[in-house]
Amino acid sequence: MFGLVDCDNCYVSCERVFNPKLEGKPVVVLSNNDGCVVARSPEAKALGIKEGTPYYQLAEQFPGVKIEALSSNYTLYGDMSSRIMEILRQAAPSIEIYSIDEAFLVLDGMEQMDLKRWGEDLSQRIRKWVGMPVSIGIAPTRTLAKMASKYAKKYPAYHKCCLIDTEEKRLKALKLFPVEDVWGVGRRYTEKLNYMGVHTSLEFHNMSAARVQHEFHITGLRTWKELHGESCVGPDVIESKKSICTSRSFPHMITDFESLRTQVSNYAAHCAFKLRKQHGVAQLVTVFVTSNPFRDDLPQYGNSVSVTLPTPTSTTPELIMAAAQGLQTIFREGYHYKKAGVIVSGITPNYAVQGSLWDLPAEKRKQFLELSCLMDKVNHKNGDDTLVVASQQYPVDRQTGKAAVFKNSILHDHRSPCYTTNINDVIKVYAR
C-alpha cells in the first residue's frame, strides 16, 4: 500500500499558522516581484480568483472585496515543509518526497493495521505539532493514492484520510474522478481522451490495454495499469541536473553596470549553492541580459556570453568572478535592462574533477570551497543571504547613503517574517 500526504493550500496554510487573523478570509500568495497569484485560499478560489491572475488586476476584478495579498516567502514554506517531512519519516517505513507540499509513503508491512485510523491520527498529529492541515490518501498504487488524497481534501466526512482498499471503493472512486485530474494525464492526453469520448477515470480504465498503448504509449499504459491497482510507477528519482539556471526580471529597469553586476553576482551565487547541493561542479558559465521588449519607446538590446572555466568548480567566488567577466563583455551603455540570468552547465560529479595547469593554487581552491561551505551553513541556520560575497552587496547611493537594494532587488512588499529561520523574526509575546 502507498500513502500520499498533501499539504492543503500549502503557502496560504503556512501564512495562517503564524497569522490566525487570515483564517476564513480570501488570501492569495504572489509570485516573485509580487507579479501574479501563485496560491489561493479556499475563500479566494470561491470568489473566482484564478491562478496566474496579475496582482494589479485583483482590485479591478473584485471591487470592494478585501483580499489579503502576501508576497511569497519560500524560506518559511521550505522550513515548514521540512518539519512535516520529518514527522512522516518517523511515522512510515519509507517516504518519497515528491514536492514541497507532497510526499509518498511506502507502507510495506502495515497492511494488517487500521490504515484509515492511522492516516487520521497522522493528519491530526501534523496539525497539532506543525499547525498545517494535510490530506492523506492510501491505496494500492501511487496514482490511486494521489486520487484518494484529493477526495480526502474535498470531502470533510473522510476526516482528512481516504482509504481505497477494496474493489468496490476503487471503482466508485474512478467513476467520480475526472480523467483530466488523474496523475500522469496531462493537457494533451486530456484533449485526446475527451475527443475519444472519455471524460472520467473509469472510462479510461475500461479502455483495452492494447488501445491505450497504441494511443498513449508506455507512459499512458503505466497510468492505466495503476488505475487497475497494479503498481508500476516507481518513485521519482531526482537526477542531478545537467544545467542550472537562475534568472529574474527586475522590478525596475537598470541602466548602470554596478547594479547589474550585483544582480548577476547574486544569480551566480544561487547557482553555486544549487551545484554544491547536488554535489556537482560546472565548467561553463553563461550570462545573458535583455532590455524590456514591451517598451517600444526605448532602444532594445539582448545578448549572452559563455565563459569556460579552466577547472570545473562549485565555489561561489569563482562562479561569481566568471559571471562578472562575462557581463563585462556584453554590457552596453545606454540601454534599460529588465532581465538577466546565469546558467551553469557542463556539470559533473565533484569527485571526478580533472585539474588544469592554469588552475588556481590548490590551497586557494581549498579556501574558496571551505568559505562556500561555511556560507551555506550560516545561511541555512540564519536565513538566506545572511552571509554573502562582497560583490553581492548592492551599491550605495552616494546621495542617501543607503543601499540600492530597495530599488533593484525582488519586490516583496507584502512578505511575512521568516518566523522559524530568522532569530530576529521570532514571534514576541508580552505578558501583562
Side-chain angles (χ1 to χ4, degrees), residues 176-195:
L176 300 175
F177 204 78
V179 70
E180 61 265 23
D181 292 337
V182 174
W183 186 45
V185 176
R187 179 180 57 84
R188 291 185 179 180
Y189 278 11
T190 298
E191 292 175 353
K192 191 171 184 179
L193 285 166
N194 290 166
Y195 179 78

Side-chain angles (χ1 to χ4, degrees), residues 164-298:
I164 299 176
D165 60 346
T166 66
E167 186 71 3
E168 181 183 0
K169 291 180 182 179
R170 184 179 68 86
L171 295 176
K172 183 178 180 180
L174 293 173
K175 182 178 180 180
L176 300 175
F177 204 78
V179 70
E180 61 265 23
D181 292 337
V182 174
W183 186 45
V185 176
R187 179 180 57 84
R188 291 185 179 180
Y189 278 11
T190 298
E191 292 175 353
K192 191 171 184 179
L193 285 166
N194 290 166
Y195 179 78
M196 297 166 63
V198 176
H199 300 279
T200 68
S201 302
L202 184 60
E203 290 172 336
F204 177 53
H205 164 277
N206 290 338
M207 294 175 63
S208 69
R211 187 178 185 191
V212 170
Q213 183 166 9
H214 178 265
E215 298 289 347
F216 304 103
H217 312 294
I218 190 64
T219 304
L221 183 61
R222 288 196 187 114
T223 300
W224 180 87
K225 288 182 177 180
E226 287 261 320
L227 295 181
H228 279 77
E230 180 183 344
S231 178
C232 58
V233 175
D236 286 338
V237 179
I238 302 176
E239 298 181 353
S240 297
K241 297 180 178 179
K242 303 303 180 184
S243 65
I244 296 173
C245 175
T246 301
S247 66
R248 297 283 188 276
S249 293
F250 314 133
H252 304 284
M253 289 182 287
I254 297 176
T255 57
D256 63 292
F257 176 79
E258 285 302 313
S259 295
L260 194 59
R261 178 189 58 80
T262 302
Q263 298 287 350
V264 168
S265 296
N266 277 299
Y267 302 159
H270 291 160
C271 288
F273 169 73
K274 294 176 183 177
L275 262 178
R276 292 191 293 274
K277 194 172 182 180
Q278 72 172 45
H279 306 292
V281 289
Q283 184 145 29
L284 196 67
V285 178
T286 301
V287 181
F288 65 88
V289 295
T290 181
S291 55
N292 191 343
F294 300 103
R295 289 293 300 271
D296 297 333
D297 57 320
L298 297 174

